Amino acid sequence: MNIIKLRNYREISFEAAKIIRDQVLLKPQSVIGFATGSTPIGTYEELINIFNKDLITFENVKSFNLDEYYGINPMNKNSYNYFMKNNLFNYIDIKEENINIPNGLAEDVEKECEEYERKIHEAGGIDLQLLGIGRNGHIGFNEPCEEFKAHTHLVELKDDTIKANSRFFDSLEDVPTKAISMGVKTIMSARKIILIASGEEKAEIIRETVYGSITPNLPASILQLHDDVTLIVDEESGKYI
Ligand code: F6R
């Protein structure tokens, strides 16, 4: 694992955006995997700055998001669809038809998951996947459990995840309890992975991700087996590594 330790959130956001910029410059038709949550917001702001300076175009980029809440309308302000539009897609020139996010309203979830995998495959696989990490070690919505789930699947969210995500909702009861998420193999099949983490609350899980045993009880630990992972941490989240 390639570890980049920087001073603060601003610096990790710059660094992650720079890696995505270079990927798109090198291969304009790149397939990029995006994440939601608080951590990538700065990265997306910086990507928008880079785009506004005419340094990059997303015209030929295809995107696949890691996950989406299940049972939530894409227009709902808490959907990951809404998040991506408002934090990135509305401000760059990515084509609507090249954006892929699991459909949280799919009636046949199994079919939706299979189709998502098929679309990734048909796009040629993910060139660069951006990841955040949950305090319990989840990546995407692959929650700690007894066995790794390989492909895109429906997940029952853990109580601690529901609680952590309730900060975006009006009340705890409003947080969806299920999500559709890429599986661990889907993520591990990306040619390049960037994991970003910020803040003291991620320090312990980052230590275990880097030095702990590889176990589905800490899904991010599987990243130790990937050939091209860059972990970008600030001083606080990286204080034990
Ligand atoms: C979001 C996702 C999650 C988040 C994780 C960290 O698409 O897949 O794994 O990356 O929950 O979230 P933040 O960045 O809000 O701490």
Coordinates of all heavy atoms in Angstrom, one line a residue, residues 52-94:
N52 N -12.8 24.0 -14.0 CA -13.1 25.4 -14.3 C -11.9 26.1 -14.9 O -12.0 27.2 -15.6 CB -13.6 26.2 -13.1 CG -15.1 25.8 -12.8 OD1 -15.8 25.3 -13.7 ND2 -15.5 26.0 -11.6
K53 N -10.7 25.6 -14.6 CA -9.5 26.3 -15.2 C -9.2 25.7 -16.5 O -8.1 25.9 -17.0 CB -8.3 26.0 -14.2 CG -8.4 26.8 -12.9 CD -7.2 26.6 -12.1 CE -7.4 27.0 -10.7 NZ -6.7 26.2 -9.7
D54 N -10.1 24.9 -17.1 CA -10.0 24.3 -18.4 C -8.8 23.3 -18.5 O -8.2 23.2 -19.5 CB -9.7 25.4 -19.5 CG -11.1 25.9 -20.0 OD1 -12.1 25.2 -19.8 OD2 -11.1 27.0 -20.5
L55 N -8.5 22.7 -17.3 CA -7.3 21.8 -17.3 C -7.7 20.4 -17.6 O -6.8 19.5 -17.8 CB -6.6 21.9 -15.9 CG -6.1 23.3 -15.5 CD1 -5.5 23.3 -14.1 CD2 -5.0 23.7 -16.5
I56 N -9.0 20.1 -17.7 CA -9.4 18.7 -17.8 C -10.9 18.7 -18.3 O -11.6 19.7 -18.1 CB -9.4 18.1 -16.4 CG1 -9.6 16.6 -16.4 CG2 -10.3 18.7 -15.4 CD1 -9.5 16.1 -15.0
T57 N -11.2 17.7 -19.1 CA -12.6 17.5 -19.5 C -13.1 16.1 -19.1 O -12.3 15.1 -19.1 CB -12.8 17.7 -21.0 OG1 -14.1 17.3 -21.3 CG2 -11.8 16.9 -21.9
F58 N -14.3 16.0 -18.7 CA -14.9 14.7 -18.3 C -15.8 14.2 -19.4 O -16.6 13.3 -19.2 CB -15.7 14.8 -17.0 CG -14.8 15.1 -15.8 CD1 -14.4 16.4 -15.5 CD2 -14.3 14.1 -15.0 CE1 -13.6 16.7 -14.4 CE2 -13.5 14.3 -13.9 CZ -13.2 15.6 -13.6
E59 N -15.7 14.8 -20.6 CA -16.6 14.5 -21.7 C -16.7 13.0 -22.0 O -17.7 12.5 -22.4 CB -16.1 15.2 -22.9 CG -17.2 15.9 -23.7 CD -16.7 16.5 -24.9 OE1 -15.4 16.9 -25.0 OE2 -17.5 16.7 -25.8
N60 N -15.6 12.4 -21.9 CA -15.5 10.9 -22.3 C -15.4 10.0 -21.1 O -15.2 8.8 -21.3 CB -14.4 10.7 -23.3 CG -14.6 11.5 -24.5 OD1 -15.6 11.4 -25.1 ND2 -13.6 12.2 -24.9
V61 N -15.5 10.6 -19.9 CA -15.4 9.7 -18.7 C -16.7 9.0 -18.4 O -17.8 9.6 -18.6 CB -15.0 10.7 -17.5 CG1 -15.2 9.9 -16.1 CG2 -13.6 11.1 -17.6
K62 N -16.6 7.8 -17.9 CA -17.8 7.1 -17.5 C -17.6 7.0 -15.9 O -16.5 6.8 -15.5 CB -17.9 5.7 -18.1 CG -18.4 5.7 -19.5 CD -18.8 4.3 -19.9 CE -19.4 4.4 -21.3 NZ -18.9 3.4 -22.2
S63 N -18.7 7.1 -15.2 CA -18.6 7.0 -13.8 C -19.5 5.9 -13.2 O -20.6 5.6 -13.8 CB -19.0 8.3 -13.1 OG -20.4 8.5 -13.1
F64 N -19.1 5.2 -12.2 CA -19.9 4.3 -11.4 C -19.8 4.6 -10.0 O -18.7 4.6 -9.4 CB -19.4 2.8 -11.7 CG -19.7 2.3 -13.0 CD1 -18.9 2.5 -14.1 CD2 -20.9 1.6 -13.2 CE1 -19.3 2.1 -15.4 CE2 -21.3 1.2 -14.5 CZ -20.5 1.4 -15.6
N65 N -20.9 4.9 -9.3 CA -20.8 5.1 -7.9 C -20.8 3.8 -7.1 O -21.4 2.8 -7.5 CB -22.0 6.0 -7.4 CG -21.5 7.4 -7.3 OD1 -21.4 8.1 -8.3 ND2 -21.2 7.9 -6.1
L66 N -20.2 3.9 -5.9 CA -20.1 2.7 -5.1 C -21.4 2.2 -4.6 O -21.6 0.9 -4.5 CB -19.3 3.1 -3.8 CG -17.8 3.1 -3.9 CD1 -17.3 3.8 -2.6 CD2 -17.2 1.7 -4.0
D67 N -22.3 3.1 -4.3 CA -23.5 2.6 -3.6 C -24.7 3.6 -3.7 O -24.5 4.8 -4.1 CB -23.2 2.3 -2.1 CG -22.3 3.3 -1.5 OD1 -22.2 4.4 -2.0 OD2 -21.6 3.0 -0.5
E68 N -25.8 3.2 -3.2 CA -27.0 4.0 -3.1 C -27.9 3.4 -2.1 O -28.0 2.2 -1.9 CB -27.7 4.1 -4.5 CG -29.1 4.9 -4.5 CD -28.9 6.4 -4.1 OE1 -28.8 6.6 -2.9 OE2 -29.0 7.2 -5.0
Y69 N -28.6 4.3 -1.3 CA -29.6 3.8 -0.4 C -30.7 3.1 -1.1 O -31.0 3.5 -2.2 CB -30.2 4.9 0.4 CG -29.3 5.6 1.4 CD1 -28.9 6.9 1.4 CD2 -28.8 4.8 2.5 CE1 -28.1 7.5 2.3 CE2 -28.0 5.4 3.5 CZ -27.6 6.7 3.4 OH -26.8 7.2 4.3
Y70 N -31.2 2.1 -0.4 CA -32.3 1.3 -1.1 C -33.7 1.9 -0.5 O -33.8 2.1 0.7 CB -32.2 -0.2 -0.7 CG -33.3 -1.0 -1.4 CD1 -33.4 -1.0 -2.8 CD2 -34.3 -1.6 -0.7 CE1 -34.4 -1.7 -3.5 CE2 -35.3 -2.4 -1.3 CZ -35.3 -2.4 -2.7 OH -36.3 -3.1 -3.3
G71 N -34.6 2.1 -1.5 CA -35.9 2.6 -1.1 C -36.0 4.1 -1.1 O -36.8 4.7 -0.5
I72 N -35.0 4.7 -1.7 CA -35.0 6.2 -1.7 C -35.0 6.7 -3.1 O -34.4 6.2 -4.0 CB -33.7 6.7 -0.9 CG1 -33.9 8.0 -0.3 CG2 -32.5 6.7 -1.8 CD1 -32.8 8.4 0.7
N73 N -35.8 7.8 -3.3 CA -36.0 8.4 -4.6 C -34.7 9.1 -5.0 O -34.1 9.8 -4.2 CB -37.2 9.3 -4.6 CG -37.6 9.7 -5.9 OD1 -36.9 10.4 -6.6 ND2 -38.8 9.4 -6.3
P74 N -34.3 9.0 -6.3 CA -33.0 9.7 -6.7 C -33.1 11.2 -6.5 O -32.1 11.9 -6.4 CB -32.8 9.4 -8.1 CG -34.0 8.5 -8.5 CD -34.8 8.1 -7.3
M75 N -34.4 11.8 -6.4 CA -34.5 13.2 -6.3 C -34.5 13.6 -4.8 O -34.4 14.8 -4.5 CB -35.9 13.7 -6.8 CG -36.3 13.1 -8.1 SD -35.2 13.9 -9.4 CE -36.3 15.2 -9.9
N76 N -34.6 12.6 -3.9 CA -34.5 12.9 -2.5 C -33.1 13.5 -2.1 O -32.1 13.0 -2.6 CB -34.7 11.6 -1.7 CG -34.7 11.7 -0.2 OD1 -33.9 12.3 0.4 ND2 -35.8 11.2 0.4
K77 N -33.1 14.5 -1.3 CA -31.9 15.2 -1.1 C -30.8 14.4 -0.3 O -29.7 14.7 -0.2 CB -32.1 16.6 -0.4 CG -32.5 16.5 1.0 CD -32.6 18.0 1.6 CE -33.0 18.1 3.0 NZ -33.0 17.0 3.9
N78 N -31.3 13.3 0.3 CA -30.3 12.4 0.9 C -29.9 11.2 0.1 O -29.1 10.4 0.5 CB -30.9 11.9 2.2 CG -31.0 12.9 3.3 OD1 -30.0 13.6 3.5 ND2 -32.1 13.2 3.9
S79 N -30.4 11.2 -1.2 CA -29.9 10.1 -2.0 C -28.5 10.4 -2.5 O -28.1 11.5 -2.5 CB -30.9 9.9 -3.2 OG -30.6 10.9 -4.2
Y80 N -27.8 9.3 -2.8 CA -26.4 9.5 -3.3 C -26.4 10.1 -4.7 O -25.5 10.7 -5.1 CB -25.6 8.2 -3.2 CG -25.3 7.9 -1.7 CD1 -24.7 6.6 -1.4 CD2 -25.5 8.8 -0.7 CE1 -24.4 6.4 -0.1 CE2 -25.1 8.5 0.6 CZ -24.6 7.3 0.9 OH -24.2 7.0 2.2
N81 N -27.5 9.8 -5.4 CA -27.7 10.4 -6.7 C -27.7 11.9 -6.6 O -27.0 12.6 -7.3 CB -29.1 9.9 -7.3 CG -29.2 10.0 -8.8 OD1 -29.1 11.1 -9.3 ND2 -29.3 8.9 -9.4
Y82 N -28.5 12.4 -5.7 CA -28.6 13.8 -5.4 C -27.3 14.4 -5.0 O -26.8 15.5 -5.4 CB -29.7 14.1 -4.4 CG -30.1 15.5 -4.1 CD1 -31.2 16.1 -4.8 CD2 -29.3 16.3 -3.2 CE1 -31.5 17.4 -4.6 CE2 -29.7 17.6 -3.0 CZ -30.8 18.2 -3.7 OH -31.1 19.5 -3.4
F83 N -26.6 13.7 -4.1 CA -25.3 14.1 -3.6 C -24.3 14.3 -4.7 O -23.6 15.3 -4.8 CB -24.8 13.0 -2.6 CG -23.4 13.3 -2.1 CD1 -23.1 13.8 -0.9 CD2 -22.3 13.0 -2.9 CE1 -21.8 14.1 -0.4 CE2 -21.0 13.2 -2.5 CZ -20.8 13.8 -1.2
M84 N -24.3 13.3 -5.6 CA -23.3 13.4 -6.7 C -23.6 14.5 -7.6 O -22.7 15.2 -8.1 CB -23.2 12.1 -7.5 CG -22.5 10.9 -6.8 SD -20.9 11.3 -6.1 CE -19.9 11.7 -7.5
K85 N -24.8 14.7 -7.9 CA -25.2 15.8 -8.8 C -24.8 17.2 -8.2 O -24.2 18.0 -8.8 CB -26.7 15.8 -9.2 CG -27.0 14.5 -9.9 CD -28.1 14.7 -11.0 CE -28.0 13.6 -12.0 NZ -29.1 12.6 -11.9
N86 N -25.1 17.3 -6.9 CA -24.9 18.6 -6.2 C -23.5 18.8 -5.8 O -23.1 20.0 -5.5 CB -25.9 18.7 -5.0 CG -27.2 19.1 -5.6 OD1 -27.4 20.3 -5.9 ND2 -28.1 18.1 -5.8
N87 N -22.7 17.8 -5.7 CA -21.3 18.0 -5.3 C -20.3 17.9 -6.4 O -19.2 18.3 -6.3 CB -20.9 17.0 -4.2 CG -21.6 17.4 -2.9 OD1 -21.2 18.4 -2.3 ND2 -22.6 16.7 -2.4
L88 N -20.8 17.3 -7.6 CA -19.8 17.2 -8.7 C -20.4 17.3 -10.1 O -20.1 18.1 -10.8 CB -19.0 15.8 -8.5 CG -18.0 15.6 -9.6 CD1 -16.8 16.6 -9.5 CD2 -17.4 14.2 -9.4
F89 N -21.3 16.3 -10.3 CA -21.8 16.2 -11.7 C -22.4 17.4 -12.4 O -22.2 17.7 -13.6 CB -22.7 15.0 -11.9 CG -22.1 13.6 -11.5 CD1 -22.9 12.6 -11.0 CD2 -20.7 13.4 -11.7 CE1 -22.3 11.4 -10.7 CE2 -20.2 12.2 -11.4 CZ -21.0 11.1 -10.9
N90 N -23.1 18.2 -11.6 CA -23.7 19.4 -12.2 C -22.7 20.5 -12.5 O -23.0 21.4 -13.2 CB -24.7 20.0 -11.2 CG -26.0 19.2 -11.1 OD1 -26.2 18.3 -11.9 ND2 -26.9 19.6 -10.1
Y91 N -21.5 20.3 -12.0 CA -20.5 21.4 -12.2 C -19.4 21.0 -13.2 O -18.4 21.7 -13.4 CB -19.9 21.8 -10.9 CG -21.0 22.2 -9.9 CD1 -21.4 21.3 -8.9 CD2 -21.5 23.4 -10.0 CE1 -22.5 21.7 -8.1 CE2 -22.5 23.8 -9.2 CZ -23.0 22.9 -8.2 OH -24.0 23.3 -7.4
I92 N -19.5 19.8 -13.8 CA -18.5 19.4 -14.7 C -19.2 18.9 -16.0 O -20.4 18.9 -16.1 CB -17.6 18.2 -14.2 CG1 -18.4 17.0 -13.8 CG2 -16.7 18.7 -13.0 CD1 -17.6 15.8 -13.3
D93 N -18.4 18.5 -17.0 CA -19.1 18.2 -18.3 C -19.3 16.7 -18.6 O -19.3 16.3 -19.7 CB -18.3 18.9 -19.5 CG -16.8 18.3 -19.6 OD1 -16.4 17.6 -18.6 OD2 -16.1 18.6 -20.6
I94 N -19.4 16.0 -17.5 CA -19.7 14.5 -17.7 C -21.0 14.4 -18.3 O -22.0 15.2 -18.0 CB -19.6 13.8 -16.3 CG1 -19.6 12.2 -16.6 CG2 -20.6 14.2 -15.3 CD1 -19.2 11.4 -15.4

